[in-house]
Amino acid sequence: MSNVQPLKAESIHLSYGTLQVLKGVSLTVNASEGVVLLGANGCGKSSLMRVLNGLERPQQGSVEVFGKPVTGARGSGLRAIRRQMGYVFQQFNLVPQLSAFQNVLLGLLGQRPFGLIGCMSPLASAEDRERAMACLERVGMSDRAMHRPAELSGGQQQRVAIARMLMQSPTIVIADEPVASLDPRAGRQVLELLWEIVRERQLSMLCTLHQVELAREFADRIVGIKAGATALDAPAETIELSAINALYETA
Amino acid sequence: MLPLKLLNYLPLMPFMKPHNTTNPAMPPRFRRPSVVTWVIAISFAAFFIQGLIAADVTLDRLVRGASNIVRFLGQAFPPDFSRHESVAWAMLETLNIAVVGVTFGCLLSVPLALLAARNTAPNAIVRTLARFVISVARTIPDLIWALIFVVTVGLGPLAGILAIIMDTIGFAARFYSERFEEVGKGPSEALTATGAGRLSVIFGAIIPESFASMTATSLFSVEKAIRSAVTLGLVGAGGIGVELSTSMRLFRYDQAAAIILLILVAVIGFEQLSSAIRKRIINGEGVPQG
């Protein structure tokens, strides 16, 4: 498995009706590498992330996760691939009626034979319950285990969402603007936590960001998308600021 | 839509002067109704007048009706509670019919609603089929369901229970499925992304989000079921309606009055209870998520 790239996307084309969003984006993420994806609003970053996970089907191109094709995969094959990929959303996407603890347990949903039955708090195994608590502990939220999302701040909700991702024990993490809906301070703290976890578990990560400084600070490699195509792909330390700024200029 | 339309008329309001008198054309105060509007208005008027004529509404009949209702009330008061034992048993049977029928009705509504909602149905054919079943259950009135089941399973509470089940499905399954369709797709997508199967996603994200609204709908169904269970006895499907129709047919209006009072107390009592529970559930929901 070590020779195969965790994530490899080749010439992805995606359009909604007549609107062409992605026009041949290629991208790879190597083992334990943190890649930041930059690009202006509407350049197709989020669509690309959704394609990588199979939430969206591209018209052309291929995505491979550890050498297994995501595009074209269906049913249990697709679910097996998704199980290795943790996803962190901009809007957290916690189930609002459930406690933080139960939300974290739901990270196991794809891994237990009877799905939900194995991950409901009253029925889950003692081992899983302990692990969920440890995940909450890792993100500093164990004292809020019984709180509902609405009772938590945005930063705290994202921490719970990160704990849910941890519970899934993925090898690849996809984070779609994880701090875009947080204030700068909370955003930085959450981002630091996310990268710390990714580094300590040697996960591969692909993360979209809006803050260029944060991207340069955290990323191993920066990939830029402009007008639906890859416009930039280089190690973070060698990239000039002007090259990044060019991504945001209107053509 | 309407408020926007009203905005168009704002410049015409008498206390406002037009800002710019060189405007191309002043919008008219009134618009000529379209042909369709005329056709609808005239056919409505025709139906209405024909209905009045067919009902043979005359002053003479209204006066006689008024004196009859005075006679009825005179005979109904004071209400006669002497048959309280059998009436009480009949009331209990009514509540039994309502509760048992509504429980099965709500349970059956969940899978039907899942098959009928756009975001949970496996495919368009199943969805159309489920919607058809639900709308048939809703369009046929409860009394007619009761008549059908009296014919098929015989007189008594079982026919009433089956009628309530059908009536509840028509109501609850529709509202459940509409609620499912309103659920935001974020949490479902997050669970799908963990590699979970479809059923797990539905029961892990969509059902919890709909749960409060489903409980409220179910309580409404119970209220509705108690009201219909009262009348189902009129066609022989068990419950207190049997007692009521017997008393009325024997011209024992005082006994009928006692039964009507009891029904009133039971229905109002349950409505109070259920709205109290609903309020608690809705308050327990917490603030909406930002």
Side-chain angles (χ1 to χ4, degrees), chain B residues 94 97-98 142 164 224-233 238-241:
Chain B
T94 302
I97 291 172
D142 49 357
I164 297 284
K224 202 164 113 66
I226 287 180
R227 262 178 277 131
S228 25
V230 165
T231 54
L232 291 183
I240 200 157

Side-chain angles (χ1 to χ4, degrees), chain A residues 50 53 55 79 82-83 85 87 89 93-98 106-107 109-110 115-116 148-150 157 164 168, chain B residues 185-187 189-198 200-201 203-205 208-209 284-290:
Chain A
R50 293 169 57 82
N53 193 277
L55 288 172
R79 291 204 293 275
R82 281 178 176 161
R83 239 170 273 156
M85 304 172 86
Y87 210 123
F89 296 84
N93 288 352
L94 300 170
V95 183
Q97 281 69 22
L98 304 178
L106 287 182
L109 207 50
L116 189 66
R148 284 184 184 181
Q157 289 187 48
R164 174 174 66 187
Q168 200 187 326
Chain B
K185 65 182 171 109
E189 222 161 53
L191 298 191
T192 308
T194 66
R198 212 183 161 80
S200 294
V201 172
F203 284 93
E209 275 206 64
E285 263 300 83
V287 282
Q289 226 187 329

Side-chain angles (χ1 to χ4, degrees), chain A residues 97, chain B residues 176 179-180 183 205-215:
Chain A
Q97 281 69 22
Chain B
Y176 291 172
R179 177 67 188 116
F180 294 155
V183 169
I206 293 176
I207 299 273
E209 275 206 64
S210 318
F211 199 73
S213 141
M214 286 169 74
T215 316

